[in-house]
Amino acid sequence: ARYTKQHTGASHEKSPITYVHGLPCIEKIVASVDETPETISTNISGTIPEWIRGNFLRIGPGKFEIGNNKFNHWFDGMALLHQFKIAGGQGTYKSRFLGSDCYTANSENSRIVLSEFGTVAMPDPCKNFIQRFLSRFKLPSEFTVQVCSSRV
């Protein structure tokens, strides 16, 4: 039996990874795809015995850019969890991005904010400027109050 997914919502935008290294044969494994959070049915060629049932989970990179930033290495892509479920001779599929701290931070900032295996995150230029400005001012760690008393 062959298991095929009935979904065409994936975006297959060309990634710079394939062209920088001159390897067009790996284009599809470094292309970002959309998650499929709702369960979808599949077409089964042949038959799956009724006694076969279960879930097959797979994890791999699924997103190779955040905002205008692109990851430089296949290991850096944001994790996408895939679930293939077989029951009653039928199969279904769904997928979701792993809600890791890195994925959340990158998504909230619409850019790569944490360095990865082959991608160095650039600091936010506005935040960097403000931090440099504030570093010129130093708040005292302790306040000492001096009381002057005089006798009349």
Side-chain angles (χ1 to χ4, degrees), residues 1-3 9 20 32 39 50 61 63 70-71 87 90 93 109-110 118 122 146:
R2 192 174 62 183
Y3 200 67
V20 170
S32 290
T39 302
E50 291 289 324
K63 190 173 195 67
K70 298 190 183 305
F71 290 107
Q90 297 297 313
Y93 170 83
N109 291 284
S110 296
M122 299 305 288
Q146 294 180 352

Side-chain angles (χ1 to χ4, degrees), residues 80-139:
L80 183 65
L81 295 165
H82 304 269
Q83 179 194 36
F84 300 89
K85 184 175 186 176
I86 298 174
Q90 297 297 313
T92 60
Y93 170 83
K94 66 180 175 179
S95 65
R96 298 221 24 133
F97 284 105
L98 181 65
S100 65
D101 293 340
C102 184
Y103 177 81
T104 302
N106 288 342
S107 297
E108 287 174 354
N109 291 284
S110 296
R111 66 183 192 84
I112 299 170
V113 295
L114 298 171
S115 293
E116 297 287 345
F117 177 80
T119 305
V120 176
M122 299 305 288
D124 182 349
C126 295
K127 185 175 181 182
N128 195 17
F129 174 77
I130 292 168
Q131 284 177 335
R132 281 188 281 151
F133 174 76
L134 292 177
S135 71
R136 302 286 182 211
F137 303 99
K138 183 177 180 184
L139 294 175

